[in-house]
Every structure is written in structure tokens, then in C-alpha cells.
Amino acid sequence: MPRFRLEIDGRAQTIEADDDQPLLYTLRELEFRGPKFGCGLAQCGACTVIVDGQPIRSCVIPVAALDGKAVRTLDGLARDGEPHPVQAAFIEEEAAQCGYCTNGWIMTAVASLERNPNVSDADIRSMFAGLKCRCGTHMSIMRAVRRAADQMAADSITEGQNDV
């Protein structure tokens, strides 16, 4: 069986898997619980992870395509016991009902806001094209992402001032 090397949430992993095994299956076998199996067709977003700064659907990308890459999951977002600003905003805004889809919304927001936290509400709506939430918590999710974007933008300004 082929072996692949991935860095998952900052830790090197050697994976034995078939070339066509979806990354999601690999992550679940390694007991990562953030990404979920939703549709298996890259349509709902429950399986979203971040690779090279981009949110990807792990249910359809083979682990072989990511050999040597760094993968970020919801499981590894917190730092020193503190949630990522997007996670904190989701908690503060109570932006989950059943929570099954939350991984996709958070990981998509993290990838987008880490590239540029200065987003409009229209940008936020656009970044979520294709994500699904059957519980209908969309308004809470929008409020949470707006809160996180504002916090991350303020943090980047503060960091910039400290660099001077």
C-alpha cells in the first residue's frame, strides 16, 4: 500500500492508503473529528479543511494529491487553549444549532479572513457559496463571521503598529 506524508495541524504524519482514498476518510481514521461526512460529493462543505490557505472539500480529494502538503483542520485551530477568533465568534453568537455543518462554515471563514479580514457583508455571503445548513442558522453565522472579521482586522492593525 502506498505511503504519503502530510502535515496535519502542524504534526508530520505518514499515511498508508490507497491512491484514491479521500482525505476525509484518512482524517477520520486518524481520529480528527472536525471534518464530517455530509454528502460525499463536495456540495455541502461539512468536510472542509484548509490546504495552502484554501478551503477544500476533503471528501473528494484523494490523499495522494496532497502528499507533502500541510492540512489544517478544525481540530487544530485553537492555540494555547484559546479558540481561533472565528471559533470564538461562533461561540459568542451561538451560531450552531445541531453543529454538524459548523466545520465547513468555520474553516471557510478562517481561510478567507486570514487572507483578508477587511471584508464586506457581501464578501461574507459570497465566501459561503455552496455551503449548506439545514437548521437555518445562517443569520447567526453571518453575525459570527462579521464579528470575527472585525476582530481580526483590528488585530492586524494593532500588530502593524507594534511592528513600527
Side-chain angles (χ1 to χ4, degrees):
M1 188 168 293
R3 289 179 179 234
F4 305 100
R5 282 184 276 169
L6 300 174
E7 180 183 302
I8 305 172
D9 293 336
R11 294 179 41 204
Q13 302 269 354
T14 300
I15 314 297
E16 279 191 28
D18 291 330
D19 288 339
D20 60 348
Q21 178 172 302
L23 174 63
L24 175 62
Y25 297 1
T26 300
L27 293 171
R28 299 297 290 184
E29 286 172 5
L30 294 170
E31 298 189 9
F32 287 89
R33 296 295 176 234
K36 305 279 190 278
F37 182 88
C39 66
L41 301 169
Q43 294 178 357
C44 72
C47 66
T48 303
V49 298
I50 300 172
V51 177
D52 294 335
Q54 298 297 318
I56 65 159
R57 305 297 200 261
S58 66
C59 69
V60 294
I61 189 157
V63 70
L66 299 174
D67 191 29
K69 300 269 187 183
V71 176
R72 290 174 68 197
T73 73
L74 183 69
D75 304 76
L77 285 183
R79 292 287 175 248
D80 300 321
E82 294 295 319
H84 186 281
V86 174
Q87 289 173 304
F90 266 68
I91 293 165
E92 291 162 7
E93 293 293 337
E94 298 179 3
Q97 189 165 337
C98 83
Y100 200 82
C101 67
T102 304
N103 175 77
W105 298 89
I106 289 176
M107 296 308 288
T108 300
V110 166
S112 299
L113 297 179
E114 286 182 347
R115 279 192 311 275
N116 177 22
N118 298 305
V119 294
S120 68
D121 289 346
D123 294 332
I124 294 170
R125 283 190 298 277
S126 177
M127 81 174 67
F128 291 137
L131 294 179
K132 308 287 188 271
C133 172
R134 292 177 187 241
C135 298
T137 62
H138 298 90
M139 296 311 294
S140 297
I141 291 168
M142 294 295 292
R143 281 193 307 274
V145 175
R146 173 82 272 144
R147 179 188 288 246
D150 293 346
Q151 180 64 51
M152 291 171 73
D155 290 348
S156 69
I157 291 169
T158 303
E159 288 172 12
Q161 291 173 349
N162 292 338
D163 293 340
V164 178

